[in-house]
Amino acid sequence: MASLYRGTGTVFTINNPGELMTCLKDDDGKKLVVLEFMAAWSEPCKSMAEPYRQLAIELGQEPVKLCTIDFNKFKDLGRRLRVDAMPTFLLVKEYSVVDRLITLKKEDLRKRIDTQLQHL
């Protein structure tokens, strides 16, 4: 997985713990990571997939990385992080969850991301 933050316009798919750690790595404390816990069988997740990709493009030059995690591959982590519904979006700074949101509205997620970016 590429370790790019700015200008990617990409949603990174996390397949294993090593990729998750690479995604979360933030050497200077000036990046935001959005983790989407999803499930391939979930209709709400399917309906949010395209808006999430669009959001990645919109945030292209911001210090933010959007990632998606299949809950079925990371059940223990999801349970530890209290992921009870999907899609759940966790906003992470320096390995700490700073906000969480369950939504099907790109605009709601964008507002939360923008709020966190103001505090970087």
Side-chain angles (χ1 to χ4, degrees):
M1 174 179 18
S3 61
L4 302 174
Y5 279 90
R6 292 185 178 275
T8 63
T10 301
V11 174
F12 295 92
T13 300
I14 306 298
N15 293 302
N16 59 59
E19 289 179 352
L20 178 60
M21 293 310 295
T22 298
C23 179
L24 294 174
K25 185 173 181 175
D26 181 7
D27 293 329
D28 60 6
K30 301 213 183 269
K31 293 174 185 70
L32 178 68
V33 177
V34 180
L35 298 177
E36 175 200 25
F37 276 86
M38 54 74 67
W41 50 262
S42 166
E43 290 302 319
C45 291
K46 290 177 187 177
S47 71
M48 192 61 182
E50 185 57 31
Y52 195 52
R53 280 191 285 276
Q54 291 171 358
L55 188 57
I57 293 167
E58 290 173 17
L59 292 166
Q61 294 304 308
E62 298 293 335
V64 61
K65 182 187 283 187
L66 277 64
C67 302
T68 186
I69 298 176
D70 186 331
F71 181 83
N72 292 320
K73 292 181 182 179
F74 289 87
K75 285 182 184 177
D76 290 340
L77 177 63
R79 288 181 187 125
R80 282 195 311 262
L81 293 172
R82 300 183 336 265
V83 174
D84 299 322
M86 287 174 267
T88 293
F89 298 92
L90 302 179
L91 283 62
V92 179
K93 289 183 195 172
E94 300 182 78
Y95 300 100
S96 295
V97 175
V98 294
D99 199 358
R100 72 177 50 243
L101 179 65
I102 299 169
T103 188
L104 295 177
K105 295 182 181 179
K106 178 179 81 167
E107 298 79 21
D108 293 346
L109 181 57
R110 176 66 191 252
K111 286 178 189 175
R112 297 282 187 94
I113 290 170
D114 289 344
T115 297
Q116 291 303 321
L117 288 174
Q118 291 175 5
H119 301 289
L120 289 179

PDB file of all heavy atoms in Angstrom, residues 76-111:
ATOM      1  N   ASP A  76     -12.228  -8.824  15.577  1.00  0.00           N
ATOM      2  CA  ASP A  76     -11.745  -8.506  16.927  1.00  0.00           C
ATOM      3  C   ASP A  76     -11.485  -7.016  17.081  1.00  0.00           C
ATOM      4  O   ASP A  76     -11.874  -6.409  18.079  1.00  0.00           O
ATOM      5  CB  ASP A  76     -10.484  -9.306  17.257  1.00  0.00           C
ATOM      6  CG  ASP A  76     -10.762 -10.783  17.450  1.00  0.00           C
ATOM      7  OD1 ASP A  76     -11.932 -11.149  17.700  1.00  0.00           O
ATOM      8  OD2 ASP A  76      -9.813 -11.581  17.340  1.00  0.00           O
ATOM      9  N   LEU A  77     -10.831  -6.421  16.101  1.00  0.00           N
ATOM     10  CA  LEU A  77     -10.560  -4.991  16.146  1.00  0.00           C
ATOM     11  C   LEU A  77     -11.871  -4.205  16.131  1.00  0.00           C
ATOM     12  O   LEU A  77     -12.047  -3.266  16.922  1.00  0.00           O
ATOM     13  CB  LEU A  77      -9.689  -4.565  14.966  1.00  0.00           C
ATOM     14  CG  LEU A  77      -9.396  -3.072  14.863  1.00  0.00           C
ATOM     15  CD1 LEU A  77      -8.602  -2.584  16.079  1.00  0.00           C
ATOM     16  CD2 LEU A  77      -8.657  -2.768  13.570  1.00  0.00           C
ATOM     17  N   GLY A  78     -12.783  -4.590  15.276  1.00  0.00           N
ATOM     18  CA  GLY A  78     -14.075  -3.915  15.209  1.00  0.00           C
ATOM     19  C   GLY A  78     -14.814  -3.961  16.533  1.00  0.00           C
ATOM     20  O   GLY A  78     -15.377  -2.968  16.982  1.00  0.00           O
ATOM     21  N   ARG A  79     -14.780  -5.110  17.170  1.00  0.00           N
ATOM     22  CA  ARG A  79     -15.449  -5.238  18.473  1.00  0.00           C
ATOM     23  C   ARG A  79     -14.769  -4.375  19.528  1.00  0.00           C
ATOM     24  O   ARG A  79     -15.431  -3.733  20.344  1.00  0.00           O
ATOM     25  CB  ARG A  79     -15.481  -6.700  18.899  1.00  0.00           C
ATOM     26  CG  ARG A  79     -16.451  -7.516  18.091  1.00  0.00           C
ATOM     27  CD  ARG A  79     -16.495  -8.966  18.555  1.00  0.00           C
ATOM     28  NE  ARG A  79     -17.319  -9.741  17.648  1.00  0.00           N
ATOM     29  CZ  ARG A  79     -16.918 -10.839  17.028  1.00  0.00           C
ATOM     30  NH1 ARG A  79     -15.703 -11.318  17.205  1.00  0.00           N
ATOM     31  NH2 ARG A  79     -17.735 -11.482  16.213  1.00  0.00           N
ATOM     32  N   ARG A  80     -13.423  -4.369  19.528  1.00  0.00           N
ATOM     33  CA  ARG A  80     -12.686  -3.544  20.501  1.00  0.00           C
ATOM     34  C   ARG A  80     -12.984  -2.059  20.308  1.00  0.00           C
ATOM     35  O   ARG A  80     -12.976  -1.285  21.259  1.00  0.00           O
ATOM     36  CB  ARG A  80     -11.186  -3.798  20.403  1.00  0.00           C
ATOM     37  CG  ARG A  80     -10.740  -5.066  21.080  1.00  0.00           C
ATOM     38  CD  ARG A  80      -9.243  -5.115  21.290  1.00  0.00           C
ATOM     39  NE  ARG A  80      -8.468  -4.797  20.124  1.00  0.00           N
ATOM     40  CZ  ARG A  80      -7.924  -5.690  19.291  1.00  0.00           C
ATOM     41  NH1 ARG A  80      -8.068  -6.973  19.511  1.00  0.00           N
ATOM     42  NH2 ARG A  80      -7.222  -5.301  18.247  1.00  0.00           N
ATOM     43  N   LEU A  81     -13.216  -1.674  19.049  1.00  0.00           N
ATOM     44  CA  LEU A  81     -13.493  -0.273  18.745  1.00  0.00           C
ATOM     45  C   LEU A  81     -14.990   0.047  18.773  1.00  0.00           C
ATOM     46  O   LEU A  81     -15.396   1.128  18.372  1.00  0.00           O
ATOM     47  CB  LEU A  81     -12.909   0.083  17.373  1.00  0.00           C
ATOM     48  CG  LEU A  81     -11.388   0.066  17.300  1.00  0.00           C
ATOM     49  CD1 LEU A  81     -10.914   0.226  15.868  1.00  0.00           C
ATOM     50  CD2 LEU A  81     -10.782   1.140  18.192  1.00  0.00           C
ATOM     51  N   ARG A  82     -15.786  -0.922  19.250  1.00  0.00           N
ATOM     52  CA  ARG A  82     -17.233  -0.741  19.412  1.00  0.00           C
ATOM     53  C   ARG A  82     -17.945  -0.425  18.095  1.00  0.00           C
ATOM     54  O   ARG A  82     -18.804   0.456  18.025  1.00  0.00           O
ATOM     55  CB  ARG A  82     -17.527   0.324  20.459  1.00  0.00           C
ATOM     56  CG  ARG A  82     -16.970  -0.006  21.823  1.00  0.00           C
ATOM     57  CD  ARG A  82     -17.305   1.018  22.903  1.00  0.00           C
ATOM     58  NE  ARG A  82     -17.611   2.366  22.483  1.00  0.00           N
ATOM     59  CZ  ARG A  82     -16.734   3.369  22.421  1.00  0.00           C
ATOM     60  NH1 ARG A  82     -15.488   3.174  22.765  1.00  0.00           N
ATOM     61  NH2 ARG A  82     -17.116   4.570  22.047  1.00  0.00           N
ATOM     62  N   VAL A  83     -17.567  -1.142  17.048  1.00  0.00           N
ATOM     63  CA  VAL A  83     -18.256  -1.015  15.767  1.00  0.00           C
ATOM     64  C   VAL A  83     -19.479  -1.918  15.833  1.00  0.00           C
ATOM     65  O   VAL A  83     -19.360  -3.134  15.831  1.00  0.00           O
ATOM     66  CB  VAL A  83     -17.333  -1.405  14.592  1.00  0.00           C
ATOM     67  CG1 VAL A  83     -18.104  -1.417  13.289  1.00  0.00           C
ATOM     68  CG2 VAL A  83     -16.139  -0.459  14.520  1.00  0.00           C
ATOM     69  N   ASP A  84     -20.648  -1.307  15.931  1.00  0.00           N
ATOM     70  CA  ASP A  84     -21.896  -2.046  16.097  1.00  0.00           C
ATOM     71  C   ASP A  84     -22.795  -1.997  14.875  1.00  0.00           C
ATOM     72  O   ASP A  84     -23.761  -2.748  14.783  1.00  0.00           O
ATOM     73  CB  ASP A  84     -22.676  -1.494  17.299  1.00  0.00           C
ATOM     74  CG  ASP A  84     -21.909  -1.638  18.588  1.00  0.00           C
ATOM     75  OD1 ASP A  84     -21.227  -2.661  18.764  1.00  0.00           O
ATOM     76  OD2 ASP A  84     -21.979  -0.717  19.424  1.00  0.00           O
ATOM     77  N   ALA A  85     -22.534  -1.083  13.960  1.00  0.00           N
ATOM     78  CA  ALA A  85     -23.346  -0.930  12.755  1.00  0.00           C
ATOM     79  C   ALA A  85     -22.421  -0.573  11.600  1.00  0.00           C
ATOM     80  O   ALA A  85     -21.302  -0.103  11.820  1.00  0.00           O
ATOM     81  CB  ALA A  85     -24.391   0.158  12.963  1.00  0.00           C
ATOM     82  N   MET A  86     -22.899  -0.809  10.400  1.00  0.00           N
ATOM     83  CA  MET A  86     -22.063  -0.513   9.248  1.00  0.00           C
ATOM     84  C   MET A  86     -22.848   0.247   8.196  1.00  0.00           C
ATOM     85  O   MET A  86     -24.018  -0.039   8.008  1.00  0.00           O
ATOM     86  CB  MET A  86     -21.505  -1.808   8.676  1.00  0.00           C
ATOM     87  CG  MET A  86     -20.438  -2.368   9.583  1.00  0.00           C
ATOM     88  SD  MET A  86     -19.853  -3.944   9.071  1.00  0.00           S
ATOM     89  CE  MET A  86     -20.924  -4.995  10.021  1.00  0.00           C
ATOM     90  N   PRO A  87     -22.171   1.218   7.590  1.00  0.00           N
ATOM     91  CA  PRO A  87     -20.771   1.554   7.785  1.00  0.00           C
ATOM     92  C   PRO A  87     -20.559   2.443   9.010  1.00  0.00           C
ATOM     93  O   PRO A  87     -21.360   3.314   9.300  1.00  0.00           O
ATOM     94  CB  PRO A  87     -20.405   2.326   6.518  1.00  0.00           C
ATOM     95  CG  PRO A  87     -21.700   2.971   6.087  1.00  0.00           C
ATOM     96  CD  PRO A  87     -22.778   2.007   6.503  1.00  0.00           C
ATOM     97  N   THR A  88     -19.461   2.190   9.712  1.00  0.00           N
ATOM     98  CA  THR A  88     -19.010   3.045  10.803  1.00  0.00           C
ATOM     99  C   THR A  88     -17.712   3.701  10.355  1.00  0.00           C
ATOM    100  O   THR A  88     -16.810   3.019   9.867  1.00  0.00           O
ATOM    101  CB  THR A  88     -18.767   2.243  12.086  1.00  0.00           C
ATOM    102  OG1 THR A  88     -20.004   1.737  12.563  1.00  0.00           O
ATOM    103  CG2 THR A  88     -18.129   3.105  13.171  1.00  0.00           C
ATOM    104  N   PHE A  89     -17.630   5.006  10.524  1.00  0.00           N
ATOM    105  CA  PHE A  89     -16.437   5.762  10.158  1.00  0.00           C
ATOM    106  C   PHE A  89     -15.743   6.216  11.432  1.00  0.00           C
ATOM    107  O   PHE A  89     -16.351   6.861  12.283  1.00  0.00           O
ATOM    108  CB  PHE A  89     -16.815   6.978   9.305  1.00  0.00           C
ATOM    109  CG  PHE A  89     -17.474   6.589   8.012  1.00  0.00           C
ATOM    110  CD1 PHE A  89     -18.851   6.485   7.933  1.00  0.00           C
ATOM    111  CD2 PHE A  89     -16.712   6.306   6.897  1.00  0.00           C
ATOM    112  CE1 PHE A  89     -19.478   6.119   6.757  1.00  0.00           C
ATOM    113  CE2 PHE A  89     -17.318   5.929   5.707  1.00  0.00           C
ATOM    114  CZ  PHE A  89     -18.706   5.830   5.635  1.00  0.00           C
ATOM    115  N   LEU A  90     -14.472   5.856  11.559  1.00  0.00           N
ATOM    116  CA  LEU A  90     -13.667   6.286  12.696  1.00  0.00           C
ATOM    117  C   LEU A  90     -12.632   7.277  12.182  1.00  0.00           C
ATOM    118  O   LEU A  90     -11.904   6.980  11.231  1.00  0.00           O
ATOM    119  CB  LEU A  90     -12.966   5.096  13.347  1.00  0.00           C
ATOM    120  CG  LEU A  90     -13.866   3.974  13.853  1.00  0.00           C
ATOM    121  CD1 LEU A  90     -13.024   2.852  14.455  1.00  0.00           C
ATOM    122  CD2 LEU A  90     -14.873   4.486  14.873  1.00  0.00           C
ATOM    123  N   LEU A  91     -12.549   8.432  12.807  1.00  0.00           N
ATOM    124  CA  LEU A  91     -11.547   9.426  12.462  1.00  0.00           C
ATOM    125  C   LEU A  91     -10.415   9.287  13.470  1.00  0.00           C
ATOM    126  O   LEU A  91     -10.653   9.354  14.680  1.00  0.00           O
ATOM    127  CB  LEU A  91     -12.150  10.824  12.483  1.00  0.00           C
ATOM    128  CG  LEU A  91     -13.009  11.186  11.258  1.00  0.00           C
ATOM    129  CD1 LEU A  91     -14.211  10.306  11.111  1.00  0.00           C
ATOM    130  CD2 LEU A  91     -13.390  12.641  11.284  1.00  0.00           C
ATOM    131  N   VAL A  92      -9.218   9.077  12.956  1.00  0.00           N
ATOM    132  CA  VAL A  92      -8.074   8.712  13.797  1.00  0.00           C
ATOM    133  C   VAL A  92      -6.935   9.710  13.603  1.00  0.00           C
ATOM    134  O   VAL A  92      -6.579  10.049  12.472  1.00  0.00           O
ATOM    135  CB  VAL A  92      -7.580   7.286  13.440  1.00  0.00           C
ATOM    136  CG1 VAL A  92      -6.388   6.902  14.285  1.00  0.00           C
ATOM    137  CG2 VAL A  92      -8.709   6.273  13.578  1.00  0.00           C
ATOM    138  N   LYS A  93      -6.391  10.159  14.732  1.00  0.00           N
ATOM    139  CA  LYS A  93      -5.179  10.987  14.741  1.00  0.00           C
ATOM    140  C   LYS A  93      -4.205  10.340  15.708  1.00  0.00           C
ATOM    141  O   LYS A  93      -4.592  10.009  16.841  1.00  0.00           O
ATOM    142  CB  LYS A  93      -5.474  12.405  15.237  1.00  0.00           C
ATOM    143  CG  LYS A  93      -6.263  13.256  14.305  1.00  0.00           C
ATOM    144  CD  LYS A  93      -6.391  14.643  14.933  1.00  0.00           C
ATOM    145  CE  LYS A  93      -7.458  15.457  14.274  1.00  0.00           C
ATOM    146  NZ  LYS A  93      -7.700  16.715  15.000  1.00  0.00           N
ATOM    147  N   GLU A  94      -2.994  10.176  15.285  1.00  0.00           N
ATOM    148  CA  GLU A  94      -1.940   9.631  16.141  1.00  0.00           C
ATOM    149  C   GLU A  94      -2.407   8.390  16.905  1.00  0.00           C
ATOM    150  O   GLU A  94      -2.264   8.302  18.113  1.00  0.00           O
ATOM    151  CB  GLU A  94      -1.439  10.706  17.105  1.00  0.00           C
ATOM    152  CG  GLU A  94      -0.866  11.903  16.366  1.00  0.00           C
ATOM    153  CD  GLU A  94      -0.321  12.941  17.314  1.00  0.00           C
ATOM    154  OE1 GLU A  94       0.795  12.722  17.832  1.00  0.00           O
ATOM    155  OE2 GLU A  94      -1.008  13.953  17.535  1.00  0.00           O
ATOM    156  N   TYR A  95      -2.988   7.440  16.177  1.00  0.00           N
ATOM    157  CA  TYR A  95      -3.431   6.138  16.706  1.00  0.00           C
ATOM    158  C   TYR A  95      -4.606   6.227  17.683  1.00  0.00           C
ATOM    159  O   TYR A  95      -4.930   5.251  18.337  1.00  0.00           O
ATOM    160  CB  TYR A  95      -2.275   5.381  17.363  1.00  0.00           C
ATOM    161  CG  TYR A  95      -1.130   5.099  16.435  1.00  0.00           C
ATOM    162  CD1 TYR A  95       0.004   5.889  16.446  1.00  0.00           C
ATOM    163  CD2 TYR A  95      -1.184   4.037  15.537  1.00  0.00           C
ATOM    164  CE1 TYR A  95       1.072   5.629  15.590  1.00  0.00           C
ATOM    165  CE2 TYR A  95      -0.131   3.769  14.677  1.00  0.00           C
ATOM    166  CZ  TYR A  95       0.995   4.573  14.706  1.00  0.00           C
ATOM    167  OH  TYR A  95       2.041   4.310  13.852  1.00  0.00           O
ATOM    168  N   SER A  96      -5.251   7.381  17.778  1.00  0.00           N
ATOM    169  CA  SER A  96      -6.399   7.536  18.684  1.00  0.00           C
ATOM    170  C   SER A  96      -7.646   7.916  17.900  1.00  0.00           C
ATOM    171  O   SER A  96      -7.594   8.794  17.033  1.00  0.00           O
ATOM    172  CB  SER A  96      -6.131   8.632  19.715  1.00  0.00           C
ATOM    173  OG  SER A  96      -5.073   8.257  20.558  1.00  0.00           O
ATOM    174  N   VAL A  97      -8.757   7.283  18.234  1.00  0.00           N
ATOM    175  CA  VAL A  97     -10.026   7.635  17.605  1.00  0.00           C
ATOM    176  C   VAL A  97     -10.485   8.962  18.206  1.00  0.00           C
ATOM    177  O   VAL A  97     -10.683   9.070  19.416  1.00  0.00           O
ATOM    178  CB  VAL A  97     -11.082   6.531  17.836  1.00  0.00           C
ATOM    179  CG1 VAL A  97     -12.429   6.956  17.276  1.00  0.00           C
ATOM    180  CG2 VAL A  97     -10.633   5.205  17.214  1.00  0.00           C
ATOM    181  N   VAL A  98     -10.648   9.967  17.355  1.00  0.00           N
ATOM    182  CA  VAL A  98     -11.060  11.289  17.821  1.00  0.00           C
ATOM    183  C   VAL A  98     -12.521  11.588  17.505  1.00  0.00           C
ATOM    184  O   VAL A  98     -13.090  12.535  18.045  1.00  0.00           O
ATOM    185  CB  VAL A  98     -10.149  12.398  17.243  1.00  0.00           C
ATOM    186  CG1 VAL A  98      -8.735  12.257  17.795  1.00  0.00           C
ATOM    187  CG2 VAL A  98     -10.163  12.393  15.728  1.00  0.00           C
ATOM    188  N   ASP A  99     -13.123  10.778  16.640  1.00  0.00           N
ATOM    189  CA  ASP A  99     -14.535  10.946  16.316  1.00  0.00           C
ATOM    190  C   ASP A  99     -15.029   9.664  15.658  1.00  0.00           C
ATOM    191  O   ASP A  99     -14.244   8.912  15.077  1.00  0.00           O
ATOM    192  CB  ASP A  99     -14.738  12.138  15.367  1.00  0.00           C
ATOM    193  CG  ASP A  99     -16.167  12.660  15.350  1.00  0.00           C
ATOM    194  OD1 ASP A  99     -17.043  12.089  16.033  1.00  0.00           O
ATOM    195  OD2 ASP A  99     -16.406  13.658  14.638  1.00  0.00           O
ATOM    196  N   ARG A 100     -16.317   9.419  15.767  1.00  0.00           N
ATOM    197  CA  ARG A 100     -16.936   8.263  15.116  1.00  0.00           C
ATOM    198  C   ARG A 100     -18.290   8.684  14.588  1.00  0.00           C
ATOM    199  O   ARG A 100     -18.946   9.542  15.166  1.00  0.00           O
ATOM    200  CB  ARG A 100     -17.041   7.071  16.048  1.00  0.00           C
ATOM    201  CG  ARG A 100     -18.061   7.185  17.138  1.00  0.00           C
ATOM    202  CD  ARG A 100     -18.212   5.938  18.022  1.00  0.00           C
ATOM    203  NE  ARG A 100     -16.959   5.456  18.523  1.00  0.00           N
ATOM    204  CZ  ARG A 100     -16.434   4.248  18.224  1.00  0.00           C
ATOM    205  NH1 ARG A 100     -17.079   3.411  17.487  1.00  0.00           N
ATOM    206  NH2 ARG A 100     -15.284   3.882  18.715  1.00  0.00           N
ATOM    207  N   LEU A 101     -18.672   8.053  13.490  1.00  0.00           N
ATOM    208  CA  LEU A 101     -19.910   8.448  12.841  1.00  0.00           C
ATOM    209  C   LEU A 101     -20.491   7.254  12.093  1.00  0.00           C
ATOM    210  O   LEU A 101     -19.763   6.537  11.404  1.00  0.00           O
ATOM    211  CB  LEU A 101     -19.615   9.591  11.862  1.00  0.00           C
ATOM    212  CG  LEU A 101     -20.732  10.185  11.036  1.00  0.00           C
ATOM    213  CD1 LEU A 101     -21.761  10.867  11.926  1.00  0.00           C
ATOM    214  CD2 LEU A 101     -20.159  11.172  10.039  1.00  0.00           C
ATOM    215  N   ILE A 102     -21.776   7.049  12.246  1.00  0.00           N
ATOM    216  CA  ILE A 102     -22.509   6.073  11.443  1.00  0.00           C
ATOM    217  C   ILE A 102     -23.426   6.897  10.561  1.00  0.00           C
ATOM    218  O   ILE A 102     -24.315   7.590  11.065  1.00  0.00           O
ATOM    219  CB  ILE A 102     -23.315   5.105  12.324  1.00  0.00           C
ATOM    220  CG1 ILE A 102     -22.380   4.334  13.245  1.00  0.00           C
ATOM    221  CG2 ILE A 102     -24.133   4.148  11.452  1.00  0.00           C
ATOM    222  CD1 ILE A 102     -23.087   3.551  14.324  1.00  0.00           C
ATOM    223  N   THR A 103     -23.182   6.872   9.256  1.00  0.00           N
ATOM    224  CA  THR A 103     -23.966   7.719   8.360  1.00  0.00           C
ATOM    225  C   THR A 103     -24.000   7.143   6.954  1.00  0.00           C
ATOM    226  O   THR A 103     -23.135   6.349   6.589  1.00  0.00           O
ATOM    227  CB  THR A 103     -23.397   9.149   8.310  1.00  0.00           C
ATOM    228  OG1 THR A 103     -24.301   9.984   7.582  1.00  0.00           O
ATOM    229  CG2 THR A 103     -22.032   9.189   7.664  1.00  0.00           C
ATOM    230  N   LEU A 104     -24.976   7.573   6.207  1.00  0.00           N
ATOM    231  CA  LEU A 104     -25.057   7.279   4.779  1.00  0.00           C
ATOM    232  C   LEU A 104     -25.023   8.578   3.983  1.00  0.00           C
ATOM    233  O   LEU A 104     -25.320   8.594   2.798  1.00  0.00           O
ATOM    234  CB  LEU A 104     -26.338   6.504   4.455  1.00  0.00           C
ATOM    235  CG  LEU A 104     -26.423   5.117   5.059  1.00  0.00           C
ATOM    236  CD1 LEU A 104     -27.761   4.467   4.741  1.00  0.00           C
ATOM    237  CD2 LEU A 104     -25.277   4.244   4.562  1.00  0.00           C
ATOM    238  N   LYS A 105     -24.631   9.658   4.655  1.00  0.00           N
ATOM    239  CA  LYS A 105     -24.583  10.971   4.009  1.00  0.00           C
ATOM    240  C   LYS A 105     -23.146  11.455   3.922  1.00  0.00           C
ATOM    241  O   LYS A 105     -22.498  11.705   4.935  1.00  0.00           O
ATOM    242  CB  LYS A 105     -25.424  11.980   4.788  1.00  0.00           C
ATOM    243  CG  LYS A 105     -26.895  11.639   4.770  1.00  0.00           C
ATOM    244  CD  LYS A 105     -27.687  12.683   5.505  1.00  0.00           C
ATOM    245  CE  LYS A 105     -29.159  12.319   5.496  1.00  0.00           C
ATOM    246  NZ  LYS A 105     -29.955  13.300   6.230  1.00  0.00           N
ATOM    247  N   LYS A 106     -22.680  11.621   2.705  1.00  0.00           N
ATOM    248  CA  LYS A 106     -21.316  12.097   2.471  1.00  0.00           C
ATOM    249  C   LYS A 106     -21.111  13.462   3.129  1.00  0.00           C
ATOM    250  O   LYS A 106     -20.053  13.728   3.692  1.00  0.00           O
ATOM    251  CB  LYS A 106     -21.054  12.167   0.971  1.00  0.00           C
ATOM    252  CG  LYS A 106     -19.681  12.686   0.614  1.00  0.00           C
ATOM    253  CD  LYS A 106     -19.462  12.713  -0.876  1.00  0.00           C
ATOM    254  CE  LYS A 106     -20.086  13.934  -1.451  1.00  0.00           C
ATOM    255  NZ  LYS A 106     -19.706  14.230  -2.835  1.00  0.00           N
ATOM    256  N   GLU A 107     -22.137  14.306   3.099  1.00  0.00           N
ATOM    257  CA  GLU A 107     -22.011  15.658   3.648  1.00  0.00           C
ATOM    258  C   GLU A 107     -21.748  15.624   5.156  1.00  0.00           C
ATOM    259  O   GLU A 107     -20.970  16.431   5.671  1.00  0.00           O
ATOM    260  CB  GLU A 107     -23.275  16.470   3.361  1.00  0.00           C
ATOM    261  CG  GLU A 107     -23.566  16.667   1.895  1.00  0.00           C
ATOM    262  CD  GLU A 107     -24.208  15.439   1.224  1.00  0.00           C
ATOM    263  OE1 GLU A 107     -24.794  14.588   1.924  1.00  0.00           O
ATOM    264  OE2 GLU A 107     -24.096  15.344  -0.010  1.00  0.00           O
ATOM    265  N   ASP A 108     -22.405  14.706   5.862  1.00  0.00           N
ATOM    266  CA  ASP A 108     -22.183  14.591   7.308  1.00  0.00           C
ATOM    267  C   ASP A 108     -20.743  14.168   7.603  1.00  0.00           C
ATOM    268  O   ASP A 108     -20.100  14.722   8.503  1.00  0.00           O
ATOM    269  CB  ASP A 108     -23.148  13.577   7.931  1.00  0.00           C
ATOM    270  CG  ASP A 108     -24.594  14.044   7.890  1.00  0.00           C
ATOM    271  OD1 ASP A 108     -24.838  15.240   7.624  1.00  0.00           O
ATOM    272  OD2 ASP A 108     -25.480  13.198   8.114  1.00  0.00           O
ATOM    273  N   LEU A 109     -20.255  13.209   6.849  1.00  0.00           N
ATOM    274  CA  LEU A 109     -18.878  12.756   7.039  1.00  0.00           C
ATOM    275  C   LEU A 109     -17.902  13.869   6.695  1.00  0.00           C
ATOM    276  O   LEU A 109     -16.939  14.102   7.422  1.00  0.00           O
ATOM    277  CB  LEU A 109     -18.618  11.504   6.196  1.00  0.00           C
ATOM    278  CG  LEU A 109     -17.231  10.895   6.292  1.00  0.00           C
ATOM    279  CD1 LEU A 109     -16.875  10.524   7.732  1.00  0.00           C
ATOM    280  CD2 LEU A 109     -17.140   9.661   5.386  1.00  0.00           C
ATOM    281  N   ARG A 110     -18.168  14.600   5.624  1.00  0.00           N
ATOM    282  CA  ARG A 110     -17.285  15.699   5.220  1.00  0.00           C
ATOM    283  C   ARG A 110     -17.197  16.761   6.313  1.00  0.00           C
ATOM    284  O   ARG A 110     -16.118  17.274   6.615  1.00  0.00           O
ATOM    285  CB  ARG A 110     -17.804  16.308   3.909  1.00  0.00           C
ATOM    286  CG  ARG A 110     -17.039  17.533   3.426  1.00  0.00           C
ATOM    287  CD  ARG A 110     -15.610  17.175   3.048  1.00  0.00           C
ATOM    288  NE  ARG A 110     -14.786  18.330   2.836  1.00  0.00           N
ATOM    289  CZ  ARG A 110     -14.355  18.734   1.636  1.00  0.00           C
ATOM    290  NH1 ARG A 110     -14.698  18.085   0.550  1.00  0.00           N
ATOM    291  NH2 ARG A 110     -13.594  19.778   1.541  1.00  0.00           N
ATOM    292  N   LYS A 111     -18.321  17.083   6.949  1.00  0.00           N
ATOM    293  CA  LYS A 111     -18.306  18.088   8.023  1.00  0.00           C
ATOM    294  C   LYS A 111     -17.433  17.639   9.187  1.00  0.00           C
ATOM    295  O   LYS A 111     -16.661  18.437   9.735  1.00  0.00           O
ATOM    296  CB  LYS A 111     -19.730  18.353   8.521  1.00  0.00           C
ATOM    297  CG  LYS A 111     -20.566  19.158   7.584  1.00  0.00           C
ATOM    298  CD  LYS A 111     -21.971  19.334   8.123  1.00  0.00           C
ATOM    299  CE  LYS A 111     -22.868  19.962   7.078  1.00  0.00           C
ATOM    300  NZ  LYS A 111     -24.264  20.031   7.526  1.00  0.00           N
TER     301      LYS A 111
END
